[in-house]
Amino acid sequence: MRKIIVLSMITLDGVMQGPGGPEEDTSGDFKYGGWVAPYFDEVYGKVLKKQLKPTDLLLGRKTFEIFADYWPEHENGWPGINDVTKYVMSKTMKKSDWKNSVFLKSLADIKKLKNSKGPDIQVHGSGELIQLLIKNDLADELWLKIHPLTIGKGRKLFDNGTIPAAFTLIESSVTPNGVIIVNYKRAGKVKTGTVGS
């Protein structure tokens, strides 16, 4: 079985839309694209370099289109990205010129992929896909970069359809600019109790 690892840059209020630049994702009249830039420092860069290893990707259609437009010409920023398999969840898209792109149509396709042999699968961006994965308990790990700002409006990581789920911290750090970087792995059911008893 392959692990599905969700990587997301989020604000304190959970916004994940358009972190990389002003034109990255303006849907819904989003005006704050590029909100990660002021927080990028040497520590952040080292974490990204470590996390952006060559491994298969699972992407939603919108994120795939953004990636396919950018990464074929900028592989030096993410060595190996053009050679890994890119699995794309889309009901409308069936082909791409970006090599090693495979199109999935349903949740059953994702479950079949997860149960296959191969490397871990990373999910970047892809808000609707991430929510589908979380709702169906298919995300094994969450690698979050939590930035010290609130935006309010915009697509959020945990917008709809989460299930009660516990996670265990496997790695954490804080950058000089105040970004909390945490990696969690799925850890069973939510446990409750009474504090102090």
Side-chain angles (χ1 to χ4, degrees):
M1 184 177 286
R2 303 168 76 174
K3 280 196 299 189
I4 295 180
I5 301 169
V6 170
L7 294 91
S8 192
M9 300 168 176
I10 60 173
T11 63
L12 289 173
D13 56 344
V15 173
M16 63 179 295
Q17 185 171 349
E23 304 302 319
E24 181 179 354
D25 181 358
T26 58
S27 63
D29 200 28
F30 188 70
K31 296 181 181 357
Y32 297 100
W35 50 266
V36 163
Y39 301 97
F40 199 85
D41 56 34
E42 187 177 335
V43 173
Y44 202 124
K46 285 180 181 177
V47 169
L48 280 183
K49 187 173 183 179
K50 179 181 171 185
Q51 291 183 348
L52 297 181
K53 60 183 180 181
T55 191
D56 290 351
L57 302 176
L58 174 60
L59 305 169
R61 181 190 54 81
K62 291 176 192 171
T63 299
F64 175 79
E65 288 176 339
I66 293 168
F67 278 27
D69 189 49
Y70 181 81
W71 287 113
E73 304 300 323
H74 299 89
E75 186 176 10
N76 59 330
W78 190 345
I81 188 169
N82 291 319
D83 297 320
V84 301
T85 303
K86 279 76 68 176
Y87 296 96
V88 187
M89 181 68 167
S90 176
K91 293 179 181 175
T92 57
M93 205 172 187
K94 295 180 179 154
K95 64 178 184 169
S96 171
D97 292 334
W98 196 13
K99 69 179 179 178
N100 302 325
S101 298
V102 176
F103 293 87
L104 310 176
K105 295 181 182 175
S106 68
L107 187 62
D109 290 341
I110 295 174
K111 289 178 179 177
K112 185 176 178 182
L113 173 63
K114 183 173 173 46
N115 288 318
S116 67
K117 290 185 179 180
D120 292 344
I121 302 164
Q122 290 188 351
V123 183
H124 296 261
S126 309
E128 290 177 28
L129 173 61
I130 290 171
Q131 290 174 19
L132 179 70
L133 295 171
I134 291 172
K135 180 179 179 181
N136 290 279
D137 204 13
L138 293 172
D140 298 291
E141 295 183 10
L142 303 176
W143 294 2
L144 306 178
K145 294 164 201 68
I146 305 165
H147 297 72
L149 78 156
T150 58
I151 294 177
K153 184 180 178 185
R155 283 200 316 272
K156 297 189 177 186
L157 179 62
F158 300 110
D159 217 9
N160 298 307
T162 58
I163 60 169
F167 292 85
T168 298
L169 181 69
I170 52 177
E171 190 173 340
S172 68
S173 61
V174 179
T175 72
N177 286 324
V179 178
I180 300 168
I181 300 171
V182 288
N183 296 1
Y184 294 107
K185 69 176 178 180
R186 187 71 172 82
K189 296 181 180 182
V190 173
K191 297 176 183 173
T192 63
T194 302
V195 175
S197 64

